[in-house]
Amino acid sequence: MKITLEDIIQSIYLLPEQVLKEVLGHFQHLEYPKNYFLLKAGKPCKHLWFMTKGAVRYFYINDQGKEKNTWFSLDTQIIADTSSFVKQEPSEESIQLVEDSEMYSIEHAALQSLLQKHHSFAIWYIKLVELHYVSQIEDRVADLQFLDAKQRYQKLLNQYPDITNRVSLGNIASYLNITQETLSRIRAGKL
Amino acid sequence: MKITLEDIIQSIYLLPEQVLKEVLGHFQHLEYPKNYFLLKAGKPCKHLWFMTKGAVRYFYINDQGKEKNTWFSLDTQIIADTSSFVKQEPSEESIQLVEDSEMYSIEHAALQSLLQKHHSFAIWYIKLVELHYVSQIEDRVADLQFLDAKQRYQKLLNQYPDITNRVSLGNIASYLNITQETLSRIRAGKL
DNA sequence: ATCATTTTTTGATATACATCAAAAGTATTC
DNA sequence: GAATACTTTTGATGTATATCAAAAAATGAT
Protein backbone atom coordinates (compact mmCIF):
# COMPACT_ATOMS: atom_id res chain seq x y z
CA MET A 1 0.00 0.00 0.00
CA LYS A 2 1.69 3.13 -1.24
CA ILE A 3 1.51 6.53 0.39
CA THR A 4 -0.06 9.10 -1.89
CA LEU A 5 0.55 12.82 -1.98
CA GLU A 6 -3.04 13.31 -0.92
CA ASP A 7 -2.45 11.19 2.20
CA ILE A 8 0.54 13.29 3.16
CA ILE A 9 -1.27 16.57 2.66
CA GLN A 10 -4.40 15.49 4.50
CA SER A 11 -2.38 14.08 7.39
CA ILE A 12 -1.06 17.56 8.11
CA TYR A 13 -4.44 19.29 8.25
CA LEU A 14 -7.71 18.42 6.53
CA LEU A 15 -8.44 20.74 3.62
CA PRO A 16 -11.87 21.31 2.04
CA GLU A 17 -12.38 19.16 -1.06
CA GLN A 18 -12.16 22.10 -3.47
CA VAL A 19 -9.00 23.53 -1.96
CA LEU A 20 -7.32 20.13 -1.83
CA LYS A 21 -8.00 19.65 -5.53
CA GLU A 22 -6.49 23.00 -6.38
CA VAL A 23 -3.47 22.37 -4.17
CA LEU A 24 -2.82 18.95 -5.70
CA GLY A 25 -2.84 20.59 -9.12
CA HIS A 26 0.23 22.61 -8.19
CA PHE A 27 2.37 19.61 -7.34
CA GLN A 28 4.61 17.88 -9.82
CA HIS A 29 5.65 14.25 -9.61
CA LEU A 30 9.40 13.68 -9.98
CA GLU A 31 11.91 10.85 -10.01
CA TYR A 32 15.62 11.49 -9.69
CA PRO A 33 18.68 9.22 -9.59
CA LYS A 34 21.16 8.81 -6.75
CA ASN A 35 23.59 11.73 -6.45
CA TYR A 36 21.22 14.21 -8.13
CA PHE A 37 21.23 17.68 -6.57
CA LEU A 38 17.83 19.02 -5.57
CA LEU A 39 19.49 22.24 -4.48
CA LYS A 40 22.97 23.66 -4.86
CA ALA A 41 24.41 26.10 -2.33
CA GLY A 42 24.20 29.65 -3.62
CA LYS A 43 20.83 29.20 -5.33
CA PRO A 44 17.58 30.08 -3.58
CA CYS A 45 15.48 27.07 -2.63
CA LYS A 46 12.48 27.49 -4.94
CA HIS A 47 10.67 24.28 -4.08
CA LEU A 48 9.24 22.36 -1.24
CA TRP A 49 9.51 18.63 -1.86
CA PHE A 50 7.40 15.84 -0.43
CA MET A 51 9.49 12.74 -0.76
CA THR A 52 7.60 9.45 -0.97
CA LYS A 53 10.59 7.13 -1.40
CA GLY A 54 14.33 7.56 -1.24
CA ALA A 55 16.95 9.36 0.82
CA VAL A 56 18.66 12.74 0.79
CA ARG A 57 21.43 14.49 2.66
CA TYR A 58 21.81 18.19 3.38
CA PHE A 59 25.35 19.54 3.52
CA TYR A 60 27.50 22.66 3.75
CA ILE A 61 31.04 23.25 2.59
CA ASN A 62 33.07 24.48 5.54
CA ASP A 63 36.02 26.90 5.68
CA GLN A 64 38.49 24.17 4.88
CA GLY A 65 36.46 23.19 1.84
CA LYS A 66 35.16 20.01 3.40
CA GLU A 67 31.59 18.82 3.11
CA LYS A 68 29.65 18.63 6.34
CA ASN A 69 26.25 16.93 6.46
CA THR A 70 23.62 18.66 8.51
CA TRP A 71 20.64 16.44 8.00
CA PHE A 72 19.22 13.27 6.48
CA SER A 73 15.70 12.67 5.32
CA LEU A 74 14.69 9.14 4.49
CA ASP A 75 11.44 7.86 2.97
CA THR A 76 8.36 9.95 3.66
CA GLN A 77 9.67 13.38 4.51
CA ILE A 78 9.29 17.00 3.64
CA ILE A 79 12.39 18.48 2.11
CA ALA A 80 13.60 22.06 1.72
CA ASP A 81 16.32 24.37 2.90
CA THR A 82 13.81 26.08 5.14
CA SER A 83 15.82 29.17 5.74
CA SER A 84 16.43 29.84 2.06
CA PHE A 85 12.90 28.80 1.12
CA VAL A 86 11.13 31.17 3.47
CA LYS A 87 13.36 34.14 2.65
CA GLN A 88 14.01 33.23 -0.99
CA GLU A 89 17.65 34.06 -0.46
CA PRO A 90 20.65 32.06 -1.69
CA SER A 91 20.97 28.79 0.15
CA GLU A 92 24.04 28.07 2.24
CA GLU A 93 23.59 24.35 1.92
CA SER A 94 23.09 21.80 -0.80
CA ILE A 95 20.61 18.95 -0.91
CA GLN A 96 21.65 15.78 -2.69
CA LEU A 97 20.02 12.39 -3.16
CA VAL A 98 21.84 9.45 -1.64
CA GLU A 99 19.43 6.98 -3.27
CA ASP A 100 17.19 7.00 -6.35
CA SER A 101 14.17 8.88 -5.05
CA GLU A 102 10.58 9.78 -5.80
CA MET A 103 8.91 12.98 -4.75
CA TYR A 104 6.37 15.69 -5.39
CA SER A 105 7.31 19.34 -5.55
CA ILE A 106 5.52 22.65 -5.28
CA GLU A 107 7.04 26.00 -6.20
CA HIS A 108 7.48 28.79 -3.72
CA ALA A 109 5.45 31.21 -5.85
CA ALA A 110 2.54 28.74 -6.16
CA LEU A 111 2.59 28.15 -2.42
CA GLN A 112 2.50 31.89 -1.75
CA SER A 113 -0.49 32.46 -3.97
CA LEU A 114 -2.35 29.55 -2.39
CA LEU A 115 -1.62 30.99 1.05
CA GLN A 116 -3.13 34.32 0.04
CA LYS A 117 -6.09 32.73 -1.69
CA HIS A 118 -7.23 30.16 0.86
CA HIS A 119 -7.49 30.71 4.56
CA SER A 120 -7.64 26.94 5.10
CA PHE A 121 -4.43 26.45 3.18
CA ALA A 122 -2.72 29.05 5.37
CA ILE A 123 -3.77 27.04 8.42
CA TRP A 124 -2.47 23.90 6.72
CA TYR A 125 0.89 25.55 6.11
CA ILE A 126 1.10 26.71 9.72
CA LYS A 127 0.72 23.10 10.85
CA LEU A 128 3.34 22.00 8.36
CA VAL A 129 5.85 24.56 9.53
CA GLU A 130 5.16 24.02 13.20
CA LEU A 131 5.36 20.27 13.11
CA HIS A 132 7.92 19.60 10.45
CA TYR A 133 10.34 22.49 10.49
CA VAL A 134 10.22 23.54 14.09
CA SER A 135 9.98 20.29 16.00
CA GLN A 136 12.57 18.48 13.93
CA ILE A 137 15.13 21.19 14.20
CA GLU A 138 14.64 21.76 17.91
CA ASP A 139 15.37 18.08 18.44
CA ARG A 140 18.53 18.50 16.44
CA VAL A 141 19.75 21.39 18.59
CA ALA A 142 19.10 19.38 21.72
CA ASP A 143 21.02 16.44 20.28
CA LEU A 144 24.00 18.57 19.36
CA GLN A 145 24.08 20.18 22.77
CA PHE A 146 23.50 17.25 25.05
CA LEU A 147 24.52 14.02 23.43
CA ASP A 148 28.01 12.79 22.71
CA ALA A 149 28.93 11.11 19.44
CA LYS A 150 27.95 7.63 20.59
CA GLN A 151 24.55 8.71 21.89
CA ARG A 152 23.80 10.67 18.73
CA TYR A 153 24.68 7.62 16.64
CA GLN A 154 22.40 5.39 18.67
CA LYS A 155 19.58 7.88 18.33
CA LEU A 156 20.06 8.04 14.57
CA LEU A 157 20.00 4.24 14.36
CA ASN A 158 16.83 4.28 16.39
CA GLN A 159 15.19 6.71 14.02
CA TYR A 160 16.42 4.99 10.87
CA PRO A 161 17.33 1.38 11.71
CA ASP A 162 18.39 0.63 8.14
CA ILE A 163 20.45 3.76 7.62
CA THR A 164 23.77 1.91 7.67
CA ASN A 165 22.74 0.04 4.52
CA ARG A 166 21.56 3.16 2.78
CA VAL A 167 24.03 5.88 3.69
CA SER A 168 27.81 5.59 3.75
CA LEU A 169 29.73 5.66 7.01
CA GLY A 170 31.49 8.83 5.92
CA ASN A 171 28.18 10.60 5.36
CA ILE A 172 26.83 9.47 8.70
CA ALA A 173 30.02 10.51 10.49
CA SER A 174 29.82 13.93 8.88
CA TYR A 175 26.26 14.33 10.16
CA LEU A 176 27.28 13.23 13.64
CA ASN A 177 30.05 15.78 13.53
CA ILE A 178 32.75 13.24 14.09
CA THR A 179 35.36 11.73 11.77
CA GLN A 180 34.69 8.50 9.97
CA GLU A 181 37.52 6.89 11.91
CA THR A 182 35.75 7.68 15.15
CA LEU A 183 32.44 6.33 13.87
CA SER A 184 34.16 3.19 12.69
CA ARG A 185 35.56 2.71 16.19
CA ILE A 186 32.17 3.34 17.78
CA ARG A 187 30.64 0.70 15.52
CA ALA A 188 33.37 -1.75 16.40
CA GLY A 189 32.58 -1.16 20.07
CA LYS A 190 36.03 0.25 20.74
CA LEU A 191 34.73 3.54 22.13
CA MET B 1 11.75 56.58 21.41
CA LYS B 2 10.25 53.40 22.74
CA ILE B 3 9.22 50.39 20.69
CA THR B 4 5.52 49.68 21.02
CA LEU B 5 3.76 46.35 20.70
CA GLU B 6 2.01 47.72 17.63
CA ASP B 7 5.38 48.44 15.99
CA ILE B 8 6.54 44.90 16.58
CA ILE B 9 3.35 43.36 15.25
CA GLN B 10 3.20 45.57 12.17
CA SER B 11 6.87 44.99 11.39
CA ILE B 12 6.14 41.30 10.93
CA TYR B 13 3.28 41.75 8.47
CA LEU B 14 0.83 44.62 8.04
CA LEU B 15 -2.59 43.75 9.39
CA PRO B 16 -5.86 45.51 8.48
CA GLU B 17 -6.80 48.20 11.02
CA GLN B 18 -9.72 46.20 12.44
CA VAL B 19 -7.77 42.98 12.85
CA LEU B 20 -4.84 44.78 14.43
CA LYS B 21 -7.14 46.31 17.00
CA GLU B 22 -8.63 42.96 17.88
CA VAL B 23 -5.21 41.34 18.08
CA LEU B 24 -3.82 44.05 20.34
CA GLY B 25 -6.77 43.48 22.66
CA HIS B 26 -5.52 39.95 23.35
CA PHE B 27 -2.11 41.00 24.58
CA GLN B 28 -1.29 41.68 28.17
CA HIS B 29 1.46 44.00 29.36
CA LEU B 30 3.77 42.47 31.97
CA GLU B 31 6.77 43.40 34.07
CA TYR B 32 8.79 40.77 35.90
CA PRO B 33 11.90 40.89 38.08
CA LYS B 34 15.25 39.25 37.44
CA ASN B 35 15.23 35.46 38.07
CA TYR B 36 11.48 35.14 37.46
CA PHE B 37 10.46 32.01 35.55
CA LEU B 38 8.33 32.59 32.48
CA LEU B 39 8.16 28.85 31.98
CA LYS B 40 9.18 25.86 34.05
CA ALA B 41 10.15 22.57 32.45
CA GLY B 42 7.30 20.08 32.60
CA LYS B 43 4.57 22.68 32.01
CA PRO B 44 3.21 23.38 28.54
CA CYS B 45 4.22 26.76 27.16
CA LYS B 46 0.88 28.57 27.12
CA HIS B 47 2.11 31.98 26.02
CA LEU B 48 4.01 33.72 23.35
CA TRP B 49 5.88 36.72 24.75
CA PHE B 50 7.03 39.81 22.94
CA MET B 51 9.81 41.23 25.06
CA THR B 52 10.39 44.96 24.76
CA LYS B 53 13.16 45.27 27.34
CA GLY B 54 15.22 42.83 29.35
CA ALA B 55 16.96 39.50 28.95
CA VAL B 56 16.08 35.85 29.31
CA ARG B 57 17.81 32.51 29.15
CA TYR B 58 16.42 29.16 28.07
CA PHE B 59 17.81 26.09 29.79
CA TYR B 60 17.47 22.34 30.26
CA ILE B 61 18.52 20.16 33.14
CA ASN B 62 20.76 17.39 31.79
CA ASP B 63 21.19 13.79 32.95
CA GLN B 64 23.69 14.80 35.60
CA GLY B 65 21.26 17.36 36.95
CA LYS B 66 23.21 20.33 35.62
CA GLU B 67 21.60 23.32 33.95
CA LYS B 68 22.49 23.86 30.32
CA ASN B 69 21.54 27.07 28.57
CA THR B 70 20.24 26.69 25.06
CA TRP B 71 19.43 30.24 24.14
CA PHE B 72 19.47 33.90 25.11
CA SER B 73 17.04 36.58 24.04
CA LEU B 74 17.92 40.17 24.79
CA ASP B 75 15.84 43.30 24.32
CA THR B 76 13.28 43.17 21.52
CA GLN B 77 12.63 39.50 20.93
CA ILE B 78 9.89 36.97 20.66
CA ILE B 79 9.99 34.39 23.39
CA ALA B 80 8.48 30.92 23.70
CA ASP B 81 9.49 27.31 23.90
CA THR B 82 8.40 26.85 20.34
CA SER B 83 8.23 23.10 20.43
CA SER B 84 6.03 23.02 23.52
CA PHE B 85 3.98 26.01 22.38
CA VAL B 86 3.02 24.56 19.01
CA LYS B 87 2.18 21.11 20.36
CA GLN B 88 0.91 22.25 23.78
CA GLU B 89 2.91 19.47 25.35
CA PRO B 90 5.05 19.68 28.50
CA SER B 91 8.12 21.76 27.91
CA GLU B 92 11.55 20.21 28.27
CA GLU B 93 13.17 23.51 29.00
CA SER B 94 12.68 26.44 31.34
CA ILE B 95 12.74 30.12 30.53
CA GLN B 96 14.07 32.48 33.18
CA LEU B 97 14.71 36.21 33.26
CA VAL B 98 18.30 37.26 33.76
CA GLU B 99 17.31 40.94 34.09
CA ASP B 100 14.18 42.83 35.14
CA SER B 101 12.14 42.69 31.95
CA GLU B 102 9.09 44.09 30.21
CA MET B 103 6.96 42.20 27.77
CA TYR B 104 3.57 41.55 26.22
CA SER B 105 2.01 38.13 26.16
CA ILE B 106 -0.72 36.39 24.22
CA GLU B 107 -2.23 33.04 25.17
CA HIS B 108 -2.05 30.01 22.92
CA ALA B 109 -5.84 29.64 22.88
CA ALA B 110 -6.36 33.28 21.90
CA LEU B 111 -3.80 32.95 19.14
CA GLN B 112 -5.53 29.83 17.81
CA SER B 113 -8.91 31.49 17.65
CA LEU B 114 -7.44 34.53 15.90
CA LEU B 115 -5.78 32.24 13.37
CA GLN B 116 -9.12 30.60 12.58
CA LYS B 117 -10.99 33.87 12.50
CA HIS B 118 -8.73 36.07 10.36
CA HIS B 119 -6.99 34.97 7.21
CA SER B 120 -4.69 38.00 7.46
CA PHE B 121 -3.66 37.02 10.96
CA ALA B 122 -2.81 33.52 9.75
CA ILE B 123 -0.51 35.09 7.15
CA TRP B 124 1.00 37.26 9.89
CA TYR B 125 1.69 34.21 12.02
CA ILE B 126 3.30 32.39 9.10
CA LYS B 127 5.74 35.28 8.72
CA LEU B 128 6.42 35.25 12.43
CA VAL B 129 7.16 31.56 12.51
CA GLU B 130 9.23 31.60 9.34
CA LEU B 131 11.37 34.53 10.30
CA HIS B 132 11.67 34.20 14.04
CA TYR B 133 11.51 30.54 14.85
CA VAL B 134 12.99 29.00 11.78
CA SER B 135 15.78 31.35 10.81
CA GLN B 136 17.07 31.80 14.33
CA ILE B 137 17.22 28.15 15.08
CA GLU B 138 18.83 27.19 11.79
CA ASP B 139 21.62 29.62 12.56
CA ARG B 140 22.03 27.95 15.90
CA VAL B 141 22.42 24.49 14.36
CA ALA B 142 25.00 25.81 11.95
CA ASP B 143 26.89 27.41 14.83
CA LEU B 144 26.91 24.24 16.87
CA GLN B 145 28.07 22.18 13.93
CA PHE B 146 30.72 24.38 12.40
CA LEU B 147 32.15 26.75 14.93
CA ASP B 148 34.46 25.96 17.82
CA ALA B 149 33.98 27.50 21.24
CA LYS B 150 36.03 30.60 20.47
CA GLN B 151 34.23 31.34 17.22
CA ARG B 152 30.83 30.84 18.82
CA TYR B 153 31.80 33.26 21.59
CA GLN B 154 32.91 35.89 19.09
CA LYS B 155 29.67 35.51 17.19
CA LEU B 156 27.63 35.91 20.36
CA LEU B 157 29.59 39.07 21.24
CA ASN B 158 28.92 40.35 17.78
CA GLN B 159 25.21 39.80 18.15
CA TYR B 160 25.02 41.18 21.69
CA PRO B 161 28.05 43.43 22.29
CA ASP B 162 26.99 44.20 25.86
CA ILE B 163 26.14 40.65 26.88
CA THR B 164 29.15 40.32 29.18
CA ASN B 165 27.71 43.06 31.40
CA ARG B 166 24.27 41.57 31.41
CA VAL B 167 24.73 37.82 31.63
CA SER B 168 27.14 35.95 33.89
CA LEU B 169 30.14 34.15 32.47
CA GLY B 170 28.78 30.85 33.75
CA ASN B 171 25.54 31.36 31.86
CA ILE B 172 27.33 32.29 28.68
CA ALA B 173 29.68 29.32 28.98
CA SER B 174 26.71 27.03 29.43
CA TYR B 175 25.16 28.37 26.23
CA LEU B 176 28.44 27.95 24.35
CA ASN B 177 28.55 24.38 25.59
CA ILE B 178 31.89 24.81 27.28
CA THR B 179 32.87 25.11 30.94
CA GLN B 180 33.22 28.48 32.56
CA GLU B 181 36.93 27.80 33.04
CA THR B 182 37.36 27.43 29.30
CA LEU B 183 35.41 30.63 28.61
CA SER B 184 37.48 32.47 31.16
CA ARG B 185 40.63 31.32 29.37
CA ILE B 186 39.20 32.35 25.98
CA ARG B 187 38.48 35.81 27.36
CA ALA B 188 41.96 36.07 28.78
CA GLY B 189 43.32 35.21 25.32
CA LYS B 190 44.92 32.02 26.61
CA LEU B 191 43.16 29.78 24.10
C1' DA C 1 37.19 -12.77 -12.77
C1' DT C 2 40.53 -8.90 -12.58
C1' DC C 3 41.75 -4.35 -11.85
C1' DA C 4 40.70 0.20 -10.12
C1' DT C 5 38.26 2.96 -7.07
C1' DT C 6 35.92 3.92 -3.06
C1' DT C 7 34.80 2.88 1.64
C1' DT C 8 35.96 1.17 6.07
C1' DT C 9 39.12 -0.22 9.62
C1' DT C 10 43.28 -0.02 12.47
C1' DG C 11 47.22 2.17 14.82
C1' DA C 12 50.04 6.06 16.66
C1' DT C 13 50.11 10.63 17.99
C1' DA C 14 48.22 15.34 18.86
C1' DT C 15 44.91 18.66 20.62
C1' DA C 16 40.92 21.02 22.41
C1' DC C 17 38.45 21.07 26.14
C1' DA C 18 36.81 18.88 30.61
C1' DT C 19 37.51 18.09 35.35
C1' DC C 20 39.14 18.94 39.87
C1' DA C 21 41.04 22.01 43.23
C1' DA C 22 41.90 26.29 44.97
C1' DA C 23 42.82 31.24 44.86
C1' DA C 24 41.36 35.86 43.61
C1' DG C 25 37.95 39.08 42.67
C1' DT C 26 33.15 41.09 42.98
C1' DA C 27 28.63 41.70 44.90
C1' DT C 28 25.26 41.53 48.62
C1' DT C 29 23.73 41.81 53.34
C1' DC C 30 23.63 43.05 58.00
C1' DG D 1 32.75 48.17 56.25
C1' DA D 2 33.25 43.37 57.76
C1' DA D 3 31.25 39.06 56.77
C1' DT D 4 29.26 36.02 53.47
C1' DA D 5 28.11 34.36 49.26
C1' DC D 6 28.67 34.30 44.46
C1' DT D 7 31.55 34.78 40.23
C1' DT D 8 35.77 34.56 37.76
C1' DT D 9 40.49 33.19 37.15
C1' DT D 10 44.50 30.14 37.35
C1' DG D 11 47.00 25.69 37.44
C1' DA D 12 47.57 20.59 36.91
C1' DT D 13 45.93 16.62 34.93
C1' DG D 14 42.72 13.57 32.23
C1' DT D 15 39.85 12.23 28.30
C1' DA D 16 37.33 12.20 24.00
C1' DT D 17 38.01 12.79 19.59
C1' DA D 18 40.89 14.74 15.67
C1' DT D 19 44.60 14.01 12.53
C1' DC D 20 47.78 11.52 9.78
C1' DA D 21 49.17 7.31 7.61
C1' DA D 22 48.37 3.03 5.83
C1' DA D 23 46.13 -1.55 5.48
C1' DA D 24 41.96 -4.14 4.61
C1' DA D 25 37.52 -4.71 2.71
C1' DA D 26 33.86 -3.70 -0.36
C1' DT D 27 32.09 -1.98 -4.62
C1' DG D 28 32.01 -1.04 -9.47
C1' DA D 29 33.87 -1.26 -14.27
C1' DT D 30 36.02 -3.66 -18.12
Side-chain angles (χ1 to χ4, degrees), chain A residues 75-109:
Chain A
D75 305 318
T76 316
Q77 294 275 237
I78 289 154
I79 295 163
D81 176 351
T82 315
S83 191
S84 168
F85 183 76
V86 303
K87 296 188 236 167
Q88 285 298 291
E89 286 174 1
S91 164
E92 291 180 57
E93 61 189 359
S94 299
I95 304 178
Q96 185 183 29
L97 303 194
V98 295
E99 282 179 358
D100 296 351
S101 304
E102 267 185 70
M103 55 194 69
Y104 295 88
S105 74
I106 184 169
E107 288 195 17
H108 182 264

Side-chain angles (χ1 to χ4, degrees), chain B residues 60-75:
Chain B
Y60 282 66
I61 309 277
N62 73 4
D63 304 339
Q64 291 95 55
K66 273 176 75 178
E67 293 182 1
K68 287 267 226 157
N69 291 151
T70 55
W71 196 259
F72 292 112
S73 293
L74 273 67
D75 306 318

Side-chain angles (χ1 to χ4, degrees), chain B residues 66 148-149 177-179 181-182 185:
Chain B
K66 273 176 75 178
D148 64 20
N177 221 10
I178 57 178
T179 60
E181 292 93 331
T182 298
R185 287 183 245 260

Side-chain angles (χ1 to χ4, degrees), chain B residues 78-97:
Chain B
I78 289 155
I79 295 162
D81 176 350
T82 314
S83 192
S84 168
F85 184 76
V86 303
K87 295 189 238 169
Q88 286 297 293
E89 286 174 1
S91 165
E92 291 181 56
E93 60 189 0
S94 299
I95 305 177
Q96 185 184 29
L97 303 193

Side-chain angles (χ1 to χ4, degrees), chain B residues 24 28 44 57 68 73 89 97 157 187:
Chain B
L24 285 170
Q28 213 188 334
R57 69 177 180 122
K68 287 267 226 157
S73 293
E89 286 174 1
L97 303 193
L157 281 184
R187 268 193 193 169

Side-chain angles (χ1 to χ4, degrees), chain A residues 36-68:
Chain A
Y36 180 84
F37 279 85
L38 288 180
L39 175 65
K40 288 191 179 174
K43 308 277 180 196
C45 181
K46 290 216 181 85
H47 298 86
L48 198 62
W49 295 275
F50 287 62
M51 185 162 65
T52 46
K53 187 170 170 298
V56 308
R57 68 177 181 122
Y58 294 55
F59 70 94
Y60 283 64
I61 309 277
N62 74 2
D63 304 339
Q64 291 95 55
K66 273 176 74 178
E67 293 181 0
K68 286 267 226 159

